Amino acid sequence: MRDEALRAMQASIVNGAPETAAVLAQDALTAGFEPLDAINLGFVPGMHAVGEQFAQHTLFLPDMMASAEAMRAAMQVLEPELRKRGGERPNAGTVVLGTTKGDIHEIGKTLVGTLLTAHGFKVHDLGVDVASDVFVANILKTGADVVGISALLTTTMRGQKSVIEAIERAGLRARVKVIVGGAPVSRRWAEEIGADGYGQDAASAVELVKGLMHQGVHAG
Ligand code: B1M
């Protein structure tokens, strides 16, 4: 039953069917699924399947866009529930989050933001295609403890390095911790560009940020 539901969620993404995805997301909540399980075990495997098919040229850009719409429809149902489960908490820290310049992938970055919010962080999500100076301006404006930079393309992951360099030029590097993530990003890349941490997925990004806050982010 549970496997069947997860397979249906995956299929709704592969088929690019937003209405079905939204209904399945609601059904999952009604059936007692944890929202993060529905996302990670149901809908995200659908996105991975789409990515593989796109790489193999058995599926094309309009299909990938339809799948992204379906994913967004599912997330619209599941994200408020994720946030609600976090409950009301004192501010655990301030995070500025965005996807690098030239990159419009938003789904993973938004999920990271939602989960951080659910864990009590104040998240300033700058959206996608964010220039380095916009990251810097928002670190200054919000007094952020942590900045999170997402990138989904091998080309735009270099933008993560540019953001770190811009933070250094602005004299803010000692004041803010930097975490990076996204499908092509690795721990090794994070170390190479001088980030303070790498989050493989949204849940590990939350643990990472908690750990950095625990270390005392202003100590550096
Ligand atoms: Co794009 N795309 N895409 N795409 N797309 C990929 C990334 C790709 C791997 C597909 C493929 O070829 N197999 C490929 C990149 C190849 C490469 O660079 N090596 C690719 C390509 C090529 C492109 C275009 C260039 C296609 C074209 O135009 N010819 C184009 C680029 C546009 C641009 O950005 N300038 C493009 C466009 C698009 C759409 C617009 C159609 C759509 C995005 C819609 C949207 O976001 N609103 C899209 C999609 C949907 C994908 C795939 C299929 C799925 C991405 C996704 O949402 N995954 C993707 C294939 C794949 O990733 N397997 C692909 C689900 C999401 C929950 O996971 O984003 O990985 P993810 O986030 C995870 C972790 O990575 C991590 O936590 C998240 C939650 O667990 N994480 C962080 C993410 N950010 C983090 C930040 C952190 C910590 C963790 O700290 C700050």
Side-chain angles (χ1 to χ4, degrees), residues 132 136 149 158-173 178 192-194:
S132 299
V136 169
I149 319 163
R158 294 196 200 105
Q160 295 176 322
K161 187 166 186 263
S162 309
V163 176
I164 294 176
E165 287 167 354
I167 293 171
E168 278 165 2
R169 276 198 304 276
L172 296 172
R173 188 64 186 95
V178 180
E192 197 180 314
I193 62 174

Side-chain angles (χ1 to χ4, degrees), residues 40 44 47-48 50-52 54-55 61 64-65 68 71-72 97 102-109 111-112 148-150 152-154 179-183 199-202 205:
N40 285 338
V44 167
M47 290 286 6
H48 286 153
V50 167
E52 275 161 32
F54 180 76
L61 193 56
M64 193 153 77
M65 286 168 81
M71 185 74 194
R72 213 200 311 251
L97 187 64
D103 194 327
I104 60 166
H105 294 86
E106 67 174 348
I107 296 165
K109 178 268 302 158
L111 179 55
V112 170
I149 319 163
S150 179
L152 263 286
L153 301 171
T154 41
I179 70 159
V180 292
Q200 191 181 1
D201 56 26

Side-chain angles (χ1 to χ4, degrees), residues 144-219:
D145 302 298
V146 178
V147 57
I149 319 163
S150 179
L152 263 286
L153 301 171
T154 41
T155 46
T156 59
M157 63 190 261
R158 294 196 200 105
Q160 295 176 322
K161 187 166 186 263
S162 309
V163 176
I164 294 176
E165 287 167 354
I167 293 171
E168 278 165 2
R169 276 198 304 276
L172 296 172
R173 188 64 186 95
R175 266 179 51 186
V176 70
K177 295 286 178 187
V178 180
I179 70 159
V180 292
V185 178
S186 63
R187 190 174 306 282
R188 195 160 153 213
W189 170 250
E191 282 168 10
E192 197 180 314
I193 62 174
D196 298 298
Y198 155 70
Q200 191 181 1
D201 56 26
S204 55
V206 171
E207 290 314 308
L208 182 62
V209 174
K210 279 186 185 167
L212 291 171
M213 293 302 298
H214 197 67
Q215 278 175 25
V217 289
H218 294 294

